[in-house]
Amino acid sequence: MRAVERVGFVVSAEREIFDIVIVGAGPTGLFGVFYAGMRGMRTKVIEALPEVGGQLAALYPEKDIFDVAGFPRVGAKKLVELCKEQADQANPETTYVMGQRVESLERLDDGTLQLITQTGEHHYGKSVLITAGIGAFEPNRIPNETARAYENKGVFYSVINRPQYAGKDVLIVGGGDSAVDYSLMLEPIANAVTLIHRRDGFRAHEESLRKLAESKVDVRTFYELRSIGGDGEWVNEAVIFDNRTGEETKLHVDYVVLGTGFKASLGNMLHWGLAIENKKQIVTNSKGETNIAGVYAAGDVAWYPGKIRLIATGFGEAATAVNNAKAYIDPGSAAFPGHSSEQTHK
């Protein structure tokens, strides 16, 4: 990756220029807000969704998370709430712009970075931190017309409202982390949970598979979904089949969860002039810098050799990027701010 060049800034009275504009309000972005507050940086956040939390809020609000330091177990929704509380404590004057998707990024003649959203609104920053997660995402739909016919009529691609499954019969389709997580999430409250996967073996975390083996989930490998039926308004049955023998089984179902994952795209970010890895992630260096001066990336959207895509990783990357952004916009500041335990807060 080529080295970035520092640019100067010209103060403009015609537009509101923030020290840092953070694109994405998931856990990584919110931790970026926190650290920007620790460094006294005037901050704006632009988020495409109507609420903070990113992928966790949109897809997995009921999911339990076990790999964030200090939390033996924490719900995704709760983690988002705590991240927002932490951000507000350190950076209460942050401006949040919700429901806007950034379409373009360019540098103006005065050195300011300009971001334009799909609504045509302009936003300005001395630096930009991209924490857009996996980018714009949509479910991996299976080639089954009956499933498409009952989308949002009992057929869903994620578990958003866990209590609605209480006492219900649920069929879950998939062989990855999402399908296994949904099964474990619903097993304690549902009447029955059946998990089918077309192969023998799941691509999920070892600890999750151990819990699955100890659960009451009816796990059926080498099974696939044949069809979904209902009254036109809501599902009530599903036909599954053994792909080795073709034998069919009809199940009563109140819900079908297609845990087949999501596909993501960086969308217009692919055209911003950023160095991209495999059309999926933005290339950064050890400082969180991209190939564009003043533009940083952290979390799942960032890539470098040896990258591990975890929430915990994103937290560290956000802190690194924000502190280096501070040194970038204010060359008299050190990138390392000192330990938070040494700082005094009101």
Side-chain angles (χ1 to χ4, degrees):
M1 185 176 74
R2 66 179 179 83
V4 298
E5 299 177 356
R6 188 179 302 280
V7 297
F9 300 100
V10 178
V11 177
S12 171
E14 298 179 357
R15 52 180 179 261
E16 191 174 20
I17 302 175
F18 289 78
D19 292 325
I20 189 166
V21 177
I22 298 177
V23 180
T28 297
L30 291 174
F31 196 67
V33 173
F34 161 75
Y35 239 102
M38 295 282 281
R39 297 308 305 270
M41 300 172 75
R42 192 157 176 262
T43 308
K44 174 179 276 189
V45 177
I46 305 175
E47 167 58 55
L49 297 173
E51 61 182 347
V52 301
Q55 184 179 351
L56 289 188
L59 303 180
Y60 311 113
E62 301 286 354
K63 182 177 179 179
D64 286 326
I65 297 170
F66 300 91
D67 56 3
V68 174
F71 293 97
R73 175 176 184 161
V74 61
K77 186 185 302 182
K78 183 63 175 178
L79 180 61
V80 169
E81 292 173 357
L82 292 171
C83 286
K84 182 61 163 59
E85 179 182 341
Q86 184 183 37
D88 289 346
Q89 176 179 294
N91 208 344
E93 301 302 320
T94 299
T95 297
Y96 287 87
V97 179
M98 310 304 293
Q100 290 195 32
R101 182 182 64 256
V102 178
E103 296 287 337
S104 66
L105 169 67
E106 63 177 321
R107 187 182 304 287
L108 303 180
D109 291 340
D110 64 3
T112 302
L113 292 161
Q114 173 183 264
L115 302 96
I116 304 176
T117 67
Q118 91 281 7
T119 64
E121 292 190 33
H122 292 58
H123 306 273
Y124 305 94
K126 297 177 182 178
S127 64
V128 170
L129 172 59
I130 302 171
T131 57
I134 60 174
F137 48 83
E138 62 177 291
N140 289 318
R141 290 180 167 86
I142 62 176
N144 188 301
E145 291 301 318
T146 62
R148 295 293 291 270
Y150 280 94
E151 284 185 5
N152 299 314
K153 299 177 181 179
V155 174
F156 299 98
Y157 291 89
S158 61
V159 175
I160 301 298
N161 182 17
R162 184 171 177 263
Q164 73 183 16
Y165 294 86
K168 304 299 183 179
D169 295 333
V170 185
L171 171 64
I172 298 176
V173 180
D177 280 307
S178 295
V180 173
D181 287 345
Y182 295 148
S183 299
L184 294 174
M185 187 188 307
L186 299 180
E187 184 264 344
I189 65 169
N191 178 60
V193 176
T194 302
L195 171 62
I196 64 171
H197 180 40
R198 61 184 177 178
R199 300 190 184 95
D200 180 20
F202 292 84
R203 305 178 309 281
H205 195 281
E206 292 89 342
E207 179 65 11
S208 297
L209 293 177
R210 182 189 66 77
K211 293 178 180 178
L212 181 66
E214 296 174 353
S215 75
K216 297 178 182 178
V217 175
D218 180 7
V219 179
R220 305 192 189 192
T221 54
F222 298 110
Y223 271 82
E224 299 181 47
L225 179 67
R226 176 78 76 194
S227 64
I228 293 173
D231 60 7
E233 297 298 324
W234 201 263
V235 301
N236 56 36
E237 69 174 33
V239 177
I240 61 176
F241 70 97
D242 186 324
N243 59 26
R244 297 164 299 182
T245 65
E247 181 182 359
E248 294 185 346
T249 302
K250 181 181 290 187
L251 303 174
H252 171 267
V253 296
D254 299 297
Y255 291 94
V256 177
V257 180
L258 301 177
T260 47
F262 292 79
K263 55 186 176 183
S265 170
L266 294 182
N268 286 334
M269 281 188 277
L270 293 171
H271 309 294
W272 293 359
L274 295 160
I276 303 294
E277 171 68 17
N278 199 29
K279 296 185 178 181
K280 293 181 179 180
Q281 291 174 280
I282 299 169
V283 178
T284 69
N285 61 18
S286 61
K287 295 181 179 181
E289 295 175 322
T290 70
N291 60 301
I292 299 177
V295 179
Y296 300 77
D300 285 352
V301 76
W303 181 90
Y304 47 82
K307 166 80 176 198
I308 302 296
R309 297 174 76 172
L310 295 172
I311 294 174
T313 305
F315 289 155
E317 292 169 352
T320 297
V322 168
N323 281 303
N324 280 287
K326 173 66 175 179
Y328 170 78
I329 67 173
D330 182 5
S333 298
F336 178 59
H339 300 291
S340 61
S341 58
E342 299 169 353
Q343 300 179 25
T344 302
H345 301 283
K346 295 181 180 181

